[in-house]
Amino acid sequence: MNTIRSQIIALLLLISGIVLLGGGVWGFYSLYAISHRYEHTTGTIRTLQIQKIYRYRKIRYKKEMQIAYSTDK
C-alpha cells in the first residue's frame, strides 16, 4: 500500500514537472519570437534631478530622470 502511494506521488510530480518545463519552454519561445519586432533606439537624457532626503539616521537619494527617444512611428 505504501509503495503504490509513493509511486502515484512520483508520477504526479513527474507529470507536473513536465507541464511546468513545457510552460517555461513556451514562454522563452514566445519571448524569442516577439524580440524580432522590437525597434532598437538610443535615448537622450533631458533632465536629471537628484535630491538628498534625510531620514532618521539615514540619508536617501531620490533620483528623477526624463528620457526621450525618437522613433520612426
Side-chain angles (χ1 to χ4, degrees):
M1 185 69 178
N2 200 8
T3 59
I4 294 173
R5 184 177 178 188
S6 63
Q7 288 178 351
I8 291 173
I9 291 172
L11 184 64
L12 288 174
L13 286 173
L14 180 68
I15 291 171
S16 64
I18 290 171
V19 169
L20 289 173
L21 183 65
V25 169
W26 178 258
F28 279 120
Y29 174 74
S30 65
L31 286 175
Y32 174 74
I34 290 173
S35 70
H36 295 293
R37 291 189 289 174
Y38 283 128
E39 184 176 344
H40 299 283
T41 61
T42 56
T44 57
I45 298 173
R46 288 188 178 173
T47 60
L48 176 64
Q49 297 176 351
I50 300 174
Q51 292 178 331
K52 195 183 276 190
I53 299 171
Y54 295 100
R55 294 196 179 162
Y56 179 70
R57 301 177 81 180
K58 295 179 185 175
I59 297 175
R60 299 285 184 219
Y61 293 95
K62 181 179 178 183
K63 301 171 186 167
E64 292 184 8
M65 185 182 307
Q66 186 177 12
I67 301 173
Y69 58 93
S70 61
T71 62
D72 295 335
K73 298 179 183 178

